[in-house]
Amino acid sequence: MHIQQLRNATMVLEYAGNRWLVDPMLCRARTLPPFRLSGRRRRNPTVELPSNTDEALAKVTSLLVTHEHPDHFDSAGVRFAIERSLPVYTNRVDAAHLRGRGLDVRLLEELGAPFTVEVVRSEHGRGAIGWIMGPVCGYVLSHPDEPTVYLTGDSILTDAVLDAIDRHEPAVIVAPAGAANFGVGGDILFSVDELVTMARRSKATLVCNHLEALDHCPTTREGLRERFEREGLGDRVCIPEDGERVAFEHAKSRPSPSAPRPDTARAGMQKWITSLLA
Ligand SMILES: [Zn+2]
């Protein structure tokens, strides 16, 4: 398994012969509005894609979308999928709306053997803000020849996230680490404290992205690295720079997870309102 970080949550996941472009936000810098509602507001994304993006995009075989927000699937990402006739793997919550955009949408959970996929419900904030952001999904992906990887999607720390970590014991957890906040209300992504909790809860390498690309994500790579070093967890975190490609080895034996909790989440109207920004 290789992960090439591109920008924010956008990365290429090379996994058992697939090269998934995950959560593509492919627009030029400063072409989206500020996400912060107060304080230091800047247009997004605040940085361009890295110089090796075209080379990385040339090799992708499909897309993988955790949720339809503009920083995870923007109109440039939609155009890329359509122009290249690439299938878009996603979850039941987002599939119907994405099909309406003319995309070849498939459910990741129906990937079939030898892959095993569990869709894990994520919470993109607490209370009213979490409701406005709508349901979000994470994915635990396993294959006999690859390390088990858990892509949490945009989330705060919840029992469902901890439960997925406990049951699957993933070797790699990809987590959004920018501690995003609109300047109004609580955080809508894991805080640094929550990332430390996740690292202590598991033996996984925590791959942190969703950093230094959006105006409402204050956490820096340097600050995050320093905190993990201070906690004695420096060897458990991987914070790739944009453009960097990282390899992960397959551990020979892995546990069989117990049954998942039932998930009855349905996309609400509010999600399509936030997705219209894309
Ligand atoms: Zn996001």
Side-chain angles (χ1 to χ4, degrees):
M1 176 174 107
H2 288 82
I3 287 176
Q4 183 171 5
Q5 167 66 18
L6 292 179
R7 178 181 61 184
N8 197 56
T10 307
M11 62 185 203
V12 177
L13 172 64
E14 298 174 39
Y15 197 88
N18 290 275
R19 291 185 295 278
W20 274 298
L21 176 62
V22 180
D23 284 353
M25 173 178 64
L26 301 182
C27 60
R28 300 296 308 267
R30 295 170 288 283
T31 54
L32 295 174
F35 294 153
R36 277 190 72 88
L37 301 172
S38 66
R40 190 179 173 220
R41 303 176 78 229
R42 290 174 291 162
R43 291 186 66 79
N44 289 306
T46 56
V47 295
E48 295 285 7
L49 285 159
S51 57
N52 54 356
T53 298
D54 286 349
E55 190 187 329
L57 294 183
K59 64 187 180 186
V60 306
T61 55
S62 48
L63 275 65
L64 178 51
V65 173
T66 62
H67 66 296
E68 195 186 2
H69 278 166
D71 58 323
H72 293 258
F73 200 19
D74 66 357
S75 48
V78 171
R79 268 199 312 278
F80 174 77
I82 290 173
E83 284 169 10
R84 294 274 307 273
S85 302
L86 295 174
V88 179
Y89 287 88
T90 190
N91 52 77
R92 291 179 189 277
V93 172
D94 290 278
H97 195 257
L98 290 178
R99 283 196 182 101
R101 298 177 79 172
L103 295 157
D104 172 9
V105 175
R106 305 179 190 182
L107 295 177
L108 188 67
E109 67 192 70
E110 292 180 353
L111 204 52
F115 292 91
T116 314
V117 177
E118 184 179 320
V119 178
V120 181
R121 175 78 185 277
S122 290
E123 299 287 340
H124 203 341
R126 294 177 173 84
I129 286 186
W131 180 84
I132 288 167
M133 299 305 281
V136 173
C137 293
Y139 307 115
V140 182
L141 186 59
S142 301
H143 184 281
D145 301 331
E146 295 282 16
T148 295
V149 58
Y150 176 21
L151 311 174
T152 68
D154 278 4
S155 193
I156 55 171
L157 192 58
T158 65
D159 287 348
V161 170
L162 292 173
D163 175 64
I165 292 171
D166 290 348
R167 284 187 298 103
H168 291 278
E169 298 182 29
V172 177
I173 301 172
V174 180
N181 188 297
F182 291 121
V184 175
D187 289 354
I188 57 169
L189 294 179
F190 300 118
S191 66
V192 177
D193 287 346
E194 289 174 336
L195 293 166
V196 168
T197 300
M198 287 162 69
R200 290 205 187 288
R201 184 84 167 208
S202 71
K203 296 188 178 73
T205 299
L206 201 61
V207 177
C208 295
N209 65 8
H210 215 301
L211 288 159
E212 299 180 337
L214 300 174
D215 75 327
H216 67 333
C217 289
T219 304
T220 63
R221 287 178 168 96
E222 191 184 354
L224 196 58
R225 211 168 275 126
E226 278 175 12
R227 172 68 187 275
F228 272 82
E229 291 291 347
R230 251 195 342 269
E231 299 283 346
L233 294 166
D235 60 339
R236 297 281 311 289
V237 70
C238 168
I239 312 172
E241 298 297 324
D242 289 353
E244 188 177 348
R245 183 167 174 266
V246 190
F248 297 91
E249 297 296 326
H250 173 51
K252 285 300 169 207
S253 65
R254 66 176 187 84
S256 299
S258 50
R261 298 171 173 204
D263 181 19
T264 55
R266 293 289 174 268
M269 274 304 294
Q270 78 281 12
K271 184 135 179 225
W272 311 138
I273 294 167
T274 42
S275 72
L276 286 176
L277 289 166

